[in-house]
Amino acid sequence: MLREVAEYPNSFGPLGPNDERIDTGRYTLCMAAGRKWNTVQRQRFPLEELDEVIAEVRATLRERGRPQTQWEVGSSAPPGLVDVLLERGIVRDKEPYAVALVLRHEPPPVADGLIARRVETFAEYAAANAVQWEAFESSAEDVAENRELLPQRYRETVNVMHAVWLDGEIVCAGTAAPTEHGLLLYGGATVPRARGRGAYKALNRARWDDAVARGTPALITQGGSMSRPILEKLGFERVGEVHMLLDRFDS
């Protein structure tokens, strides 16, 4: 079960007021606030039905004014799905591969000079989001759209955000979704000027302490090329893998 949750966290996490999740029995389509964030997960159909599924997914998104979707293809997907998606003109995403990871034991403590905890005010929430945008090199268009949505997201989010402070400034931040299986981790990142100081380790220790306090002592996430080595050093175990593709079907 933990492997499936780690490979497809959006299919299991709590829904916010503006989120939508459709499980058709053949796949799960997850849609969040903002037009561009969509993902197809938990593919459970024979490959000969792929063209029908692609058309169905695109039609659903077009009805909602959404011009693109990510496909996240995990270990349990139909064999060969990635190759046939590529044959259909769907391309590999900017970060095309991740490993599904789970932590089930206590990570290292926070290093001296760092403070790691949940954000407590809107100002902290906004600063933590800005750290994520900078670290992930978000486009100006995406930053503007997300900044406009911040007050609403802060009021209505079902997720929690943790941050790390260095010399009084937030330099690392990450989002987490509480579930019965543990905390699902999203978007953990450190700004370039503060890397190599232990901030990312501190972030995950704060998340772990939160998961323990909730009675669900596990951290579940996906590790890309930058985060995977660090997460594995912290004790995260590989339980699966995910290939990320992007389908832009409307301009």
Side-chain angles (χ1 to χ4, degrees):
M1 184 65 193
L2 282 178
R3 184 186 77 170
E4 189 172 17
V5 176
E7 289 183 341
Y8 304 120
N10 307 105
S11 295
F12 295 93
L15 291 174
N18 296 303
D19 298 340
E20 186 177 4
R21 185 162 58 214
I22 301 173
D23 188 350
T24 69
R26 296 195 293 177
Y27 60 88
T28 301
L29 175 60
C30 305
M31 296 165 279
R35 298 170 58 245
K36 292 184 178 180
W37 198 96
N38 314 290
T39 181
V40 182
Q41 302 183 341
R42 301 183 70 214
Q43 302 87 13
R44 310 182 298 282
F45 54 84
L47 292 184
E48 55 264 28
E49 296 180 9
L50 177 60
D51 290 329
E52 178 184 339
V53 168
I54 291 174
E56 187 175 289
V57 167
R58 289 174 175 176
T60 299
L61 293 171
R62 283 188 176 114
E63 288 174 358
R64 292 158 174 77
R66 292 171 176 257
Q68 65 181 48
T69 187
Q70 191 180 57
W71 282 72
E72 298 186 49
V73 182
S75 303
S76 58
L81 179 57
V82 170
D83 291 335
V84 293
L85 285 169
L86 292 170
E87 289 172 3
R88 301 304 191 275
I90 295 173
V91 300
R92 296 189 187 276
D93 209 345
K94 181 171 64 173
E95 182 74 41
Y97 175 79
V99 172
L101 299 163
V102 176
L103 180 70
R104 286 174 275 202
H105 59 81
E106 183 178 353
V110 177
D112 292 340
L114 299 172
I115 297 172
R117 60 169 173 80
R118 286 179 59 177
V119 301
E120 298 175 351
T121 66
F122 177 71
E124 291 179 351
Y125 181 75
N129 274 271
V131 162
Q132 291 177 314
W133 301 335
E134 179 183 350
F136 288 120
E137 299 180 350
S138 299
S139 68
E141 179 185 0
D142 287 344
V143 169
E145 180 178 3
N146 284 305
R147 181 174 287 118
E148 184 177 348
L149 292 168
L150 273 185
Q152 179 182 350
R153 287 179 174 169
Y154 180 70
R155 292 191 304 268
E156 299 177 349
T157 184
V158 294
N159 296 330
V160 294
M161 178 166 272
H162 299 84
V164 180
W165 282 257
L166 174 64
D167 298 329
E169 177 190 9
I170 293 179
V171 296
C172 180
T175 307
T179 77
E180 62 180 311
H181 308 287
L183 282 185
L184 300 177
L185 310 185
Y186 306 103
T190 305
V191 292
R193 61 186 176 279
R195 290 173 185 163
R197 305 283 295 274
Y200 194 67
K201 294 179 181 178
L203 175 70
N204 285 294
R205 178 55 191 248
R207 291 160 146 181
W208 170 263
D209 291 342
D210 197 342
V212 170
R214 294 172 184 273
T216 56
L219 302 181
I220 305 165
T221 192
Q222 295 176 1
S225 58
M226 291 181 62
S227 63
R228 183 172 67 248
I230 300 172
L231 290 166
E232 290 180 334
K233 286 181 181 178
L234 290 176
F236 281 79
E237 303 171 17
R238 295 187 181 209
V239 295
E241 63 178 13
V242 188
H243 295 268
M244 273 78 73
L245 297 94
L246 186 63
D247 182 18
R248 289 192 178 100
F249 47 85
D250 282 338
S251 57

